[in-house]
Amino acid sequence: MSDDLEALRTETAAALAAAPDLRAWDAVRVGVLGKSGRLTALLKDLGRAPAEERRARGAALNVLKDALAAAIEARRAELEAAALAARLAAERLDVSLPPRPEAAVAGHPGLVHPISRTMDEMAAIFGAMGFAVAEGPDVESDWFNFGALNIPAHHPARADHDTFYVPPIAGGPPRVLRTHTSPVQARVMLGQPPPIRIIAPGRTYRADHDATHSPMFHQCEGLVIDRDITLGHLKGCLIDFLRAFFGVPNLPVRFRASYFPFTEPSMEVDIGWDRRSGEIGGGADWLEILGSGMVHPRVLANCGIDPREWQGFAFGMGVERVTMLKHGIPDLRPFYDSDIRWLRQYGFVGGAPASLHEGFGG
Ligand code: 2NL
């Protein structure tokens, strides 16, 4: 190899070794391979070499170009690994550190967010009735979120859901951020034989953002599948739940015919309250709390359960909504602001919530 090419190789190697970070590395790269880089200039000059030398020099230049590109790439990988290692070391969190003293309230290192509290209470109340808690992924296949639940493409219910779509993994099925927690229940039905008694509390997502809607919110759904489940079981179960959750023993509960694609018949569930004072159980007004119904035979079949042998009921409710009602929280937006003043006002001292036995009250 001619001297000038050899010089470029050794000088580039030295410059790469001396480059302390990706910025310096990029300057070396541009200086060699860039538009006005040294190698680029040598390639441009090739045309001026004597014809008898051109062929050999061209070949040597190409070999050098590949070698330089490889050396540059190798150094980039090295520097990136070093940068990542430095970041990981610098940003390491010591989770065993005691909490900052200013975060403590009344001697407690932290408080339970009202959303978590409500979901814990739901787990305790339904848990005492024999329900297990089921969980599933936030990013769902279009089929689990809609298809399994008797909401085919072009069904009007899809439009109501204001769905966030997620790019599919190469060649994979269409994906969404789940718009309800029903897909968790569809997964359970496919994964285990009946009888089934579960609730599915968790995050849900819809492309909706205003004073009363957040793009991320929470739902709790429930599902019971057995051989002889009737509307009577649905009513008894939800009446018991609502009375335990709101702590009002004789809370008036009303069932109203409605429509959902995944249940038939479907019912909306209202509780009695006083619109003026906000008192739950008093007054002459009705407030919608839950959607419910007998699981549609097509949903059972979609999820591998024979509807001639098994039947059941399902229900769903918004966690934010019942939390605001129960605790008189007037505004949805601060739920997600992580404002320590709001959390102090509405947070709960830790520990498991009261069980059904305590919550029933009569
Ligand atoms: C509402 C209404 C509801 C369901 C959710 C459900 C799930 C399966 C099968 C059948 Cl896997 N149904 N879920 C049923 C009726 C109503 O939610 O207003 N939610 C906030």
Side-chain angles (χ1 to χ4, degrees):
M1 185 182 291
S2 48
D3 290 351
D4 58 342
L5 303 199
E6 191 53 48
L8 178 55
R9 187 206 287 276
T10 50
E11 284 164 32
T12 302
L16 283 172
D21 53 30
L22 286 162
R23 245 181 114 105
W25 166 87
D26 198 51
V28 176
R29 183 185 66 82
V30 171
V32 176
L33 299 176
K35 242 210 285 227
S36 321
R38 288 176 63 185
L39 183 81
T40 316
L42 291 172
L43 285 165
K44 279 185 194 154
D45 288 347
L46 186 60
R48 278 192 264 138
E52 62 277 17
E53 282 172 30
R54 209 175 290 159
R55 203 185 161 83
R57 187 160 168 90
L61 272 171
N62 272 331
V63 170
L64 177 62
K65 185 180 175 187
D66 289 346
L68 290 177
I72 287 168
E73 183 52 31
R75 183 61 175 152
R76 185 186 63 81
E78 223 172 82
L79 286 168
E80 273 181 356
L84 179 62
R87 238 188 95 189
L88 288 174
E91 295 177 11
R92 193 156 74 195
L93 281 180
D94 183 351
V95 293
S96 69
L97 283 174
R100 287 174 290 115
E102 68 272 22
V105 179
H108 293 276
L111 293 170
V112 176
H113 193 284
I115 291 293
S116 302
R117 171 72 185 193
T118 293
M119 294 196 298
D120 289 349
E121 287 174 7
M122 289 172 174
I125 295 169
F126 283 111
M129 293 194 234
F131 286 69
V133 173
E135 290 180 304
D138 290 17
V139 179
E140 263 296 0
S141 73
D142 181 84
W143 188 81
F144 270 116
N145 195 78
F146 292 120
L149 295 151
N150 198 31
I151 314 176
H154 312 300
H155 190 286
R158 289 218 184 195
D160 297 339
H161 280 224
D162 299 310
T163 312
F164 285 112
Y165 286 87
V166 177
I169 298 167
R175 296 190 306 162
V176 301
L177 294 185
R178 67 183 185 193
T179 59
H180 45 187
T181 60
S182 314
V184 177
Q185 290 150 285
R187 284 174 181 276
V188 170
M189 284 191 272
L190 276 161
Q192 67 166 78
I196 293 170
R197 255 186 292 185
I198 51 159
I199 59 166
R203 288 185 182 134
T204 46
Y205 305 83
R206 292 186 194 181
D208 202 354
H209 200 181
D210 58 38
T212 56
H213 295 88
S214 153
M216 187 282 299
F217 58 104
H218 299 75
Q219 280 193 347
C220 183
E221 289 203 9
L223 176 72
V224 172
I225 307 280
D226 209 328
R227 291 183 194 276
D228 300 300
I229 296 296
T230 70
L231 211 57
H233 295 108
L234 180 160
K235 292 179 74 174
C237 174
L238 293 181
I239 290 170
D240 279 0
F241 163 72
L242 290 166
R243 291 181 175 170
F245 179 76
F246 287 107
V248 179
N250 294 311
L251 180 67
V253 179
R254 177 174 84 170
F255 292 81
R256 236 177 337 103
S258 183
Y259 170 79
F260 300 107
F262 26 82
T263 46
E264 180 61 35
S266 304
M267 289 182 301
E268 256 145 349
V269 189
D270 303 338
I271 59 172
W273 78 318
D274 183 61
R275 192 184 297 281
R276 289 169 145 276
S277 67
E279 189 202 340
I280 305 284
D285 305 312
W286 291 103
L287 185 62
E288 183 189 321
I289 295 288
L290 282 143
S292 67
M294 301 306 289
V295 179
H296 197 296
R298 207 136 59 206
V299 173
L300 293 173
N302 288 346
C303 298
I305 293 178
D306 183 350
R308 290 166 305 185
E309 191 177 350
W310 304 96
Q311 57 191 327
F313 67 84
F315 55 89
M317 69 190 125
V319 175
E320 278 78 354
R321 181 170 160 74
V322 296
T323 303
M324 291 168 76
L325 284 167
K326 179 167 175 172
H327 303 296
I329 303 174
D331 189 355
L332 174 72
R333 290 162 295 189
F335 273 86
Y336 319 106
D337 286 344
S338 295
D339 184 328
I340 192 72
R341 296 164 300 177
W342 186 88
L343 292 167
R344 276 191 187 138
Q345 180 166 350
Y346 292 113
F348 290 84
V349 170
S355 75
L356 175 69
H357 314 294
E358 195 179 322
F360 247 161

